[in-house]
Amino acid sequence: MPERTQVAIVGAGPAGLLLAHLLHLRGIDTVVLERQSREYVEQRIRAGVLEQGSVDLLTRAGLADRLHRERLVHNGVELLFDGEGHRVPLTELTGRELTIYGQHELVKDLVAARLATGRPLLFEAPAVSVEDVTGSPVVRYTHNGVERELHCDVVAGCDGFHGVCRPAVAQALTVYEHVYPFAWLGVLAEVAPSAEELIYASHDRGFALHSMRSLAVTRLYLQVPPTDEVAAWPDARVWTELRTRLGRTAGFTLNEGPIIDRSVTALRSFVTEPMRHGRLFLTGDAAHIVPATGAKGLNLAVVDVAVLAAALERWFAEGDESGLEAYSATCLSRIWRVQHFSWWMTTMLHLTPEADPFARRLQLAQLRYLTGSTASATSFAENYVGLPFPEGAFTP
């Protein structure tokens, strides 16, 4: 028998689960479909930096109790170049702070919240197709070996870059993409962080980032060629390169420990316009990807969801379609600003494959200006900690 809901949500990552919860708070019925297992989505290592706006929304929605107990709060960030660290006091310059909390931990919280509502959250239920989005939308999916069809008023495509929602309406979309000529080797190590705040290092051998997931787990990244395989980076080579790129003239020791996870990830910028076709609305990685340098991907997805949830609330309650009609333009305005910041930060910190000495001198000049000018540091800080949410976004 065909099934029915108001909003079919494809994808149980942070975007899909948060959207489901915000709509639940307003009494809007949803079904969440996820192609992977629960274990997979709860263990998948992703970003861990949350802007204050994201934390504020999660808090008001009743989703941040564990986050507040376990998070790390950062009030600054360090830029390392010429063998010296330069702290940018983010909170002092903007009045806002950053939270470090693993995305997989946030997903665990969101899954638990969804299950507590008793509403459908189907794992290992891949969507096969999304049909008739300009009329009466239908999502066809499989679960327990049976193909099913879910009828709905709206489809929320929260299924990431490789999902089925964006391809279903690809003919109506324009895609903008830039692929960077380098990748990130990311490692997770069971060792206490070597610093209290993030360190972005610009070195003559390439970019490095010192981050963390907790007081006992460190997250580290190295710029590598996009053709590199994980096997090319055994532990000894990873730590040697990190010591070199994060080294300075004095006052720093890199803590080393067992590496429990490593991966190589290409860097790209990607935007789909518009983010809506008919009754299908794209959110998060299904609509846009930013290079990880500025830690914006998850936070952009949170804003997408806050804007979409508010628009759906008004439509279901009052028949007011103005928010749905403005959804794409509202989100894209912020997305392109964040794309520019992430591109600028990436190009400022990473070496080009040609190792152009002229380009390198320009990078160092920009870094010196940024860390030596209050006006430049303030502009950087405002973008890094996150711009205010768009007017009219969901408020629990």
Side-chain angles (χ1 to χ4, degrees), residues 116-134:
T117 68
R119 302 304 304 143
L121 167 54
L122 303 181
F123 291 103
E124 300 180 80
V128 176
S129 64
V130 179
E131 303 170 6
D132 198 16
V133 297
T134 58

Side-chain angles (χ1 to χ4, degrees), residues 111-119:
V111 167
R114 175 64 177 183
L115 295 176
T117 68
R119 302 304 304 143

Side-chain angles (χ1 to χ4, degrees), residues 305-319:
V305 164
V307 173
L308 181 56
L312 289 171
E313 177 188 0
R314 291 194 295 273
W315 183 54
F316 281 117
E318 307 166 16

Side-chain angles (χ1 to χ4, degrees), residues 77-88 195 197-204 206-210 241-254 345 348-350 360 363-364 367-368 370-371 380:
V77 66
E78 185 177 57
L79 300 176
L80 171 62
F81 59 94
D82 286 339
E84 294 185 7
H86 306 262
R87 184 176 185 268
V88 181
E197 296 174 335
L198 273 66
I199 304 171
Y200 287 86
S202 176
H203 191 273
D204 289 343
F207 168 78
L209 171 60
H210 175 283
E241 198 63 31
L242 284 167
R243 283 196 302 271
T244 300
R245 299 189 196 183
L246 293 171
R248 59 193 74 199
T249 54
F252 178 81
T253 300
L254 178 64
M345 195 170 173
M348 178 178 65
L349 292 167
H350 292 72
R360 181 62 179 151
Q363 289 176 323
L364 293 172
L367 285 163
R368 290 167 187 148
L370 192 163
T371 55
F380 168 83

Side-chain angles (χ1 to χ4, degrees), residues 224-387:
V224 300
T227 55
D228 272 16
E229 301 285 344
V230 169
W233 288 91
D235 290 17
R237 186 184 181 195
V238 169
W239 290 117
T240 297
E241 198 63 31
L242 284 167
R243 283 196 302 271
T244 300
R245 299 189 196 183
L246 293 171
R248 59 193 74 199
T249 54
F252 178 81
T253 300
L254 178 64
N255 297 334
E256 301 179 22
I259 294 176
I260 57 176
D261 183 80
R262 77 192 77 204
S263 60
V264 174
T265 304
L267 268 66
R268 65 157 56 93
S269 296
F270 175 90
V271 180
T272 293
E273 291 191 9
M275 294 168 58
R276 171 197 184 181
H277 182 64
R279 297 287 179 84
L280 171 62
F281 296 83
L282 301 175
T283 75
D285 286 359
H288 48 76
I289 292 176
V290 293
T293 321
K296 296 299 178 188
L298 173 57
N299 294 289
L300 274 181
V302 170
V303 175
D304 291 349
V305 164
V307 173
L308 181 56
L312 289 171
E313 177 188 0
R314 291 194 295 273
W315 183 54
F316 281 117
E318 307 166 16
D320 180 359
E321 291 196 40
S322 60
L324 296 178
E325 292 170 353
Y327 167 72
S328 186
T330 300
C331 292
L332 285 168
S333 176
R334 184 189 189 94
I335 288 162
W336 279 113
R337 169 86 289 276
V338 171
Q339 284 285 5
H340 178 267
F341 175 72
S342 299
W343 164 85
W344 170 81
M345 195 170 173
T346 300
T347 55
M348 178 178 65
L349 292 167
H350 292 72
L351 294 187
T352 59
E354 300 80 16
D356 179 0
F358 180 79
R360 181 62 179 151
R361 293 300 183 275
L362 291 180
Q363 289 176 323
L364 293 172
Q366 179 62 63
L367 285 163
R368 290 167 187 148
Y369 177 63
L370 192 163
T371 55
S373 162
T374 301
S376 181
T378 300
S379 176
F380 168 83
E382 286 177 347
N383 283 273
Y384 190 81
V385 302
L387 302 172

Side-chain angles (χ1 to χ4, degrees), residues 88-287:
V88 181
L90 301 172
T91 304
E92 179 182 321
L93 293 170
T94 67
R96 299 167 74 81
E97 63 189 22
L98 289 173
T99 286
I100 306 299
Y101 188 68
Q103 179 173 313
H104 62 291
E105 299 296 343
L106 175 60
V107 168
K108 292 176 186 176
D109 298 339
L110 293 171
V111 167
R114 175 64 177 183
L115 295 176
T117 68
R119 302 304 304 143
L121 167 54
L122 303 181
F123 291 103
E124 300 180 80
V128 176
S129 64
V130 179
E131 303 170 6
D132 198 16
V133 297
T134 58
S136 301
V138 178
V139 179
R140 300 189 187 280
Y141 70 99
T142 60
H143 190 231
N144 292 331
V146 178
E147 184 169 317
R148 303 175 182 274
E149 59 181 51
L150 176 61
H151 295 252
C152 55
D153 300 305
V154 169
V155 179
C158 309
D159 52 344
F161 184 77
H162 299 289
V164 301
C165 288
R166 188 181 67 251
V169 295
Q171 75 285 350
L173 308 176
T174 300
V175 170
Y176 301 89
E177 186 171 18
H178 175 72
V179 178
Y180 296 84
F182 36 74
W184 275 15
L185 170 71
V187 302
L188 201 65
E190 285 187 330
V191 64
S194 307
E196 294 182 356
E197 296 174 335
L198 273 66
I199 304 171
Y200 287 86
S202 176
H203 191 273
D204 289 343
R205 292 183 59 84
F207 168 78
L209 171 60
H210 175 283
S211 183
M212 62 282 293
R213 288 295 174 266
S214 69
L215 293 176
V217 177
T218 301
R219 184 70 163 157
L220 302 137
Y221 299 93
L222 287 167
Q223 176 187 347
V224 300
T227 55
D228 272 16
E229 301 285 344
V230 169
W233 288 91
D235 290 17
R237 186 184 181 195
V238 169
W239 290 117
T240 297
E241 198 63 31
L242 284 167
R243 283 196 302 271
T244 300
R245 299 189 196 183
L246 293 171
R248 59 193 74 199
T249 54
F252 178 81
T253 300
L254 178 64
N255 297 334
E256 301 179 22
I259 294 176
I260 57 176
D261 183 80
R262 77 192 77 204
S263 60
V264 174
T265 304
L267 268 66
R268 65 157 56 93
S269 296
F270 175 90
V271 180
T272 293
E273 291 191 9
M275 294 168 58
R276 171 197 184 181
H277 182 64
R279 297 287 179 84
L280 171 62
F281 296 83
L282 301 175
T283 75
D285 286 359

